Amino acid sequence: MSILDSMIEFNQRFVEEKKYEQYQTTKFPDKKLVILTCMDTRLTHLLPNALNVKNGDAKIIKNAGAVISHPFGSIMRSILVALYELKADEVCIIGHHGCGMAGLKSSSIIDKVTERGIEKETLETLRFAGVDIENWLTGFDKVEDNVAHSVDMVRNHPLIPEDTPVHGLVICPETGKLDVVVNGYKE
Ligand code: ZN
C-alpha cells in the first residue's frame, strides 16, 4: 500500500472513531507564543514535549533550518499574522544542533538537481533572470549565529512592536536540552 493510501485508510478510522476529540482547541495559542523552528523529523514530538508546549499552546512555523531569509517573505509574514491576528505576544526562534542546513553547500543540491535530469540551461536561465541560486541554496555555518541573525531580523523588523520579546534558542535533537542564545526579555 502506498503512503498516501495508508494515510487515507488510517484517516477514515481516525474520524469515525472520533479520535480528534482529544485535540480540540482554538486557533488562538494558549501560551501566546509563536515558534519558528526547523522541519527536522527528530523535533516533531521532541521539541513540544521538551518545552511543555501542548496542542493549542503555540503557533509553530517550520522550515529548513529555522531560517528567515527575507524580511518580507512568508516566514516573517506568518510571524506577523501570529502576533497581530492570532493573539501571540512572544516569538521564539529555535534552531538545533546537527541541522541539515548547517554547512550546506549549494553545489551539493545543484549537483543532485542536474543528476535528476534538470537541464543546465534551466539553471543558466534562472541565473540570467537574476535568481541567486547559489546564495539561496546555501545553509549557515553555525546554528547559534543563524538563530541570533533570525532574532535580529524579527527584532529590527519595522512592523514588529518594540515590546514584543524575541527569544533565540538552540535545542539538542537527541536529549531535548535547550540553550538560550538570546533572552528576549533582556534585549
Ligand atoms: Zn534542522
Side-chain angles (χ1 to χ4, degrees):
M1 193 187 289
S2 72
I3 295 281
L4 179 60
D5 287 342
S6 67
M7 284 194 297
I8 289 168
E9 188 187 291
F10 182 92
N11 178 257
Q12 281 165 351
R13 267 181 287 126
F14 181 91
V15 176
E16 276 163 22
E17 294 166 13
K18 298 191 176 179
K19 294 213 168 126
Y20 51 83
E21 284 178 344
Q22 59 183 308
Y23 301 107
Q24 282 174 348
T25 179
T26 74
K27 64 179 178 180
F28 301 111
D30 293 334
K31 288 193 173 165
K32 298 186 180 297
L33 262 182
V34 51
I35 294 171
L36 167 63
T37 189
C38 181
M39 64 186 190
D40 194 292
T41 48
R42 294 169 292 180
L43 301 182
T44 307
H45 286 158
L46 177 71
L47 185 141
N49 286 325
L51 273 63
N52 195 28
V53 169
K54 302 272 188 290
N55 190 50
D57 275 350
K59 311 307 282 190
I60 302 182
I61 307 162
K62 292 190 166 197
N63 72 4
V67 173
I68 305 177
S69 49
H70 196 285
F72 293 95
S74 67
I75 295 292
M76 198 60 227
R77 180 175 57 203
S78 301
I79 291 172
L80 288 169
V81 169
L83 290 173
Y84 286 106
E85 292 294 323
L86 299 166
K87 302 183 183 176
D89 286 335
E90 303 193 22
V91 182
C92 285
I93 315 282
I94 311 180
H96 69 99
H97 299 296
C99 186
M101 286 294 275
L104 178 70
K105 303 270 182 288
S106 60
S107 56
S108 169
I109 298 184
I110 290 168
D111 287 351
K112 294 181 181 86
V113 163
T114 48
E115 277 164 25
R116 286 293 296 273
I118 311 295
E119 300 288 342
K120 285 211 166 80
E121 288 73 32
T122 303
L123 293 166
E124 284 312 311
T125 304
L126 289 170
R127 288 188 188 105
F128 186 73
V131 179
D132 186 352
I133 302 177
E134 278 68 24
N135 186 42
W136 184 54
L137 293 176
T138 297
F140 47 77
D141 292 331
K142 207 167 163 248
V143 63
E144 289 85 357
D145 293 346
N146 175 62
V147 165
H149 179 255
S150 292
V151 167
D152 275 352
M153 288 261 272
V154 178
R155 180 66 282 145
N156 298 315
H157 196 280
L159 302 182
I160 292 285
E162 249 177 50
D163 58 356
T164 301
V166 184
H167 312 291
L169 308 154
V170 175
I171 193 168
C172 170
E174 280 95 36
T175 64
K177 183 180 184 295
L178 203 62
D179 290 314
V180 178
V181 178
V182 180
N183 181 331
Y185 300 131
K186 291 182 182 164
E187 290 300 298

